[in-house]
Amino acid sequence: IPNAELLVLREDGTPCTPNEPGELVHRGALVSLGYWNNPEATAERFKPLPQALNGLVLPEIAVFSGDTVRMDEAGFLYFIGRHDEMIKTSGYRVSPTEIEEILYSTRKVSECIAYSDEHERLGQAIQVIAYAPNNPALDSAALLSECRNRMPAYMVPLGIELQTSPLPRNPNGKIDRKLLSTVRIQQNTA
């Protein structure tokens, strides 16, 4: 897109090095003024670029997407996860999407979702809910063993719950992460 630029920035606003995870930021002449009738969301996502990046006397507003990505040496972008969904466990930031992709690669589950629970020692403990209709003999211990073989130790879920029915979906057809986390919070406080 002419007059548009995609940046990958650290939390302090400085550019990331190749393959370093950071927030995807869009700048340029086509950046909108914000969300219609939603000043809170506008303030969260539409922010001035750091002065050192824009090179202008006036502040330049850019869109801070909330997506964590990495950019390789050739300029290709790779999605890691949503910043607000990142799990901080044992001092590491882990994307639920990374965990889910590894679980799907086992070909043992049809649907899964990774989320976190507060944990005294870890900060947040990774939990998984999975559905495996084509693998009725699958148990949580076997799936955890697969995780240990395929993931670094800090990414291995503390627990895996197997469901007997498909996971709920939102109106867009995606697994409803918010609904599942709300149900889990209610169950844990009951």
Side-chain angles (χ1 to χ4, degrees), residues 17-189:
T17 59
N19 293 306
E20 178 186 356
E23 185 171 9
L24 179 64
V25 177
H26 172 220
R27 72 183 282 196
L30 302 176
V31 169
S32 73
L33 298 176
Y35 294 109
W36 182 258
N37 289 331
N38 194 339
E40 295 84 20
T42 298
E44 181 182 348
R45 296 284 172 230
F46 292 79
K47 303 181 232 177
L49 268 179
Q51 192 67 31
L53 289 177
N54 79 12
L56 303 173
V57 176
L58 299 173
E60 177 185 3
I61 300 299
V63 181
F64 288 71
S65 69
D67 292 327
T68 301
V69 300
R70 66 179 178 82
M71 184 184 291
D72 68 13
E73 293 84 358
F76 289 100
L77 293 166
Y78 299 88
F79 178 78
I80 295 173
R82 293 282 306 154
H83 186 72
D84 53 1
E85 293 175 350
M86 296 297 266
I87 299 168
K88 188 158 186 185
T89 183
S90 301
Y92 294 94
R93 288 199 182 277
V94 178
S95 166
T97 306
E98 285 180 286
I99 295 165
E100 294 158 8
E101 286 175 356
I102 292 169
L103 286 166
Y104 285 130
S105 74
T106 69
R107 299 185 176 267
K108 295 182 186 263
V109 300
S110 298
E111 298 178 350
C112 65
I113 189 166
Y115 67 98
S116 65
D117 280 336
E118 295 303 314
H119 191 275
E120 183 179 314
R121 190 173 38 87
L122 301 173
Q124 293 179 312
I126 299 169
Q127 302 287 343
V128 169
I129 302 170
Y131 172 57
N134 300 328
N135 200 348
L138 182 66
D139 66 2
S140 296
L143 203 49
L144 274 171
S145 178
E146 283 285 338
C147 291
R148 286 187 194 97
N149 290 334
R150 295 170 182 251
M151 299 177 182
Y154 65 87
M155 283 179 64
V156 174
L158 194 61
I160 297 179
E161 176 186 333
L162 295 175
Q163 295 273 325
T164 56
S165 59
L167 301 181
R169 304 228 173 234
N170 65 23
N172 295 329
K174 296 180 180 179
I175 295 173
D176 197 334
R177 186 180 300 277
K178 289 185 180 184
L179 175 65
L180 285 167
S181 64
T182 302
V183 169
R184 295 291 165 240
I185 289 169
Q186 290 170 352
Q187 288 175 346
N188 289 340
T189 57

